[in-house]
Amino acid sequence: MKFITALKHANQHSRDESISKSVVLFSSVNNHNISVYLNAYANISKAKYIYRSIEFGTLRQSLNSYLEDENTFPLILLFPWDFSTLSSWRQNSSVNYLSYDQFLIDTDNFFLSIGSIEKVAIHYFDFPLPFHQLDTDKIDSVKSYLISSSNKFNCNIHGNESFSFSSFIKIGNPFKQSSLENLSKAIHFDLDKKIYFYKREGKRFKVIFTDLDNTFWPGILADDGLESINSLDVEHSQLHLHYRLFLRRLALEGILIIAISRNDMSYIEESFKRGIYGFESNLITSILCSYGSKSKMILNCLSKLNLNSSDAVFIDDNDIEINEVKEAIPDIKTFSFSTDESLFISLLTNLHLLFGSKLLTEEDRNRRVAYASMLDFKENLNTLEINYDQNKLTNYLNSLNMTLKISLNPAETEKERAIQLINKTSQFNANGINIENLEQNSNLITATLTDSSVKHGLVIACVISQEKKITSFVMSCRVFQRGIEKYFLNFIKKNNLAHEILVKSTNKNIPFNQFISKTLDLSIATYDQVTTLSLANKLIKLPVHKINIEY
């Protein structure tokens, strides 16, 4: 893209009156040219923010006075001369030599100052150092220390191939004009991903729908056969292998991996049964096969899983398929699988950003198995309900050997998980009220579920006030249709732990409304304000099947 074209895009973007947010570009150099290209790509990608630069030469002052707010996002470009009293190439006066030890202290202090900004994108440019202020035997050590520190603070690191000495000396712009297009494009799309990630408040995505032919494996199964798609000698087979290995790692961390294909189901099942190199068949949560639209298969599967499309990623090598899914499911995140090496690495980097975790719990790792169990449960239940036979249905539910373990005094870690469950659960939720901490003298009661196939982990959280009023009552959608909510509430009533419940009808808590209506003959559909209902003299009819209760 020529500069004049970029300028037209940037000007068009600046006239967009619907844009209310801005990205503040912090750096010690002249940002004009790179800002033009950044705003050009913002316009092309229809980003709802505009890039604005601080005044030239005011990096430290601007950073020190920056206050985070929801309408701005900081983008920081750093150079070797920013970290200390080390002069840049534009300062021609003779200066005293800089102590190496003092340089390390200054660098650490500078990084700590920007490290206090919670949401930020930082790019470090490993440009040549001005050689006249440091002893020559320290230059390499300084460069290594700066790169090491940049890595520690999750900076994107760029080499020195885009550095222009003459441009920096003349106008304060250290970038070659020929490098600005690709550099700005990379910075913009990396920033766009970070903003999207922060908007989700760091919540991991939960499910990957992956195409098979020319994506999960090289070639087309129906044409090339199992031996070919499983070979490591086929062109690009190593890329497909490392894609599978990455999905394998995510599956072991609890991410749902769902295969979606236009192949015949028998071909795919036979392929997984015989073995796909680098990925065990039991790590696939589900296989979807149809000659209809992939978007319909995805929506149907998400409905069964009780997951939102905004928690899902779709990956395919075919742009037509990607566009069809994008059009039908705007909230889903889509990626194109490419055998271009740089694009492939970019795909894995993006997936790591969306699915990576700083802290993995046992419940996280069990999530994939729990969801697979839920799909099997729903399929079996649906079959039994279609061919209705109460005895068979009861026998099936009894065969699960369900145990509900109720905790009257949960550990601190479980309290944190319970608060998270209360705040993120919308369907089986008594009133939709979020909480930050437990009120003084209130009691938190939790329940975990285990059956013959999986440990479901924490599935119920209930907060009861000192006045014996249930102020929060939620249950995970992963364990619907088992009747455990009836056993739990019966335990609460039988032990005289609560005699009232705080309810409110929301646009999402229909499952809770149905439960309270059928179980206690109470309706909350008309209560669009928080209301207290009495549980006194209400008998709970327990399911026919048995659930073991431990406490």
Short mmCIF file of all heavy atoms in Angstrom, two decimals, residues 141 204 309 327 350:
data_model
loop_
_atom_site.label_atom_id
_atom_site.label_comp_id
_atom_site.label_asym_id
_atom_site.label_seq_id
_atom_site.Cartn_x
_atom_site.Cartn_y
_atom_site.Cartn_z
N SER A 141 25.89 -7.20 25.81
CA SER A 141 25.19 -7.53 27.07
C SER A 141 23.94 -6.67 27.24
O SER A 141 22.90 -7.15 27.69
CB SER A 141 26.12 -7.31 28.27
OG SER A 141 27.22 -8.17 28.20
N ARG A 204 -11.17 -17.76 28.75
CA ARG A 204 -10.76 -18.68 27.70
C ARG A 204 -11.95 -19.07 26.83
O ARG A 204 -13.06 -19.18 27.31
CB ARG A 204 -10.18 -19.97 28.29
CG ARG A 204 -8.97 -19.82 29.12
CD ARG A 204 -8.64 -21.15 29.79
NE ARG A 204 -7.87 -22.03 28.93
CZ ARG A 204 -7.75 -23.33 29.13
NH1 ARG A 204 -8.39 -23.91 30.12
NH2 ARG A 204 -7.01 -24.06 28.33
N SER A 309 -22.01 -19.17 21.13
CA SER A 309 -21.17 -19.13 19.94
C SER A 309 -19.95 -18.23 20.15
O SER A 309 -18.91 -18.40 19.51
CB SER A 309 -21.97 -18.64 18.72
OG SER A 309 -22.57 -17.39 18.98
N GLU A 327 -21.17 -15.62 8.33
CA GLU A 327 -22.43 -14.95 7.99
C GLU A 327 -23.56 -15.44 8.89
O GLU A 327 -24.39 -14.65 9.35
CB GLU A 327 -22.76 -15.24 6.52
CG GLU A 327 -23.95 -14.47 5.98
CD GLU A 327 -23.68 -12.99 5.77
OE1 GLU A 327 -22.49 -12.61 5.58
OE2 GLU A 327 -24.64 -12.21 5.83
N ASN A 350 -2.45 -17.31 17.63
CA ASN A 350 -3.81 -16.82 17.92
C ASN A 350 -4.57 -17.79 18.82
O ASN A 350 -5.26 -17.38 19.77
CB ASN A 350 -4.59 -16.62 16.62
CG ASN A 350 -4.10 -15.43 15.83
OD1 ASN A 350 -3.60 -14.47 16.41
ND2 ASN A 350 -4.24 -15.46 14.52
#
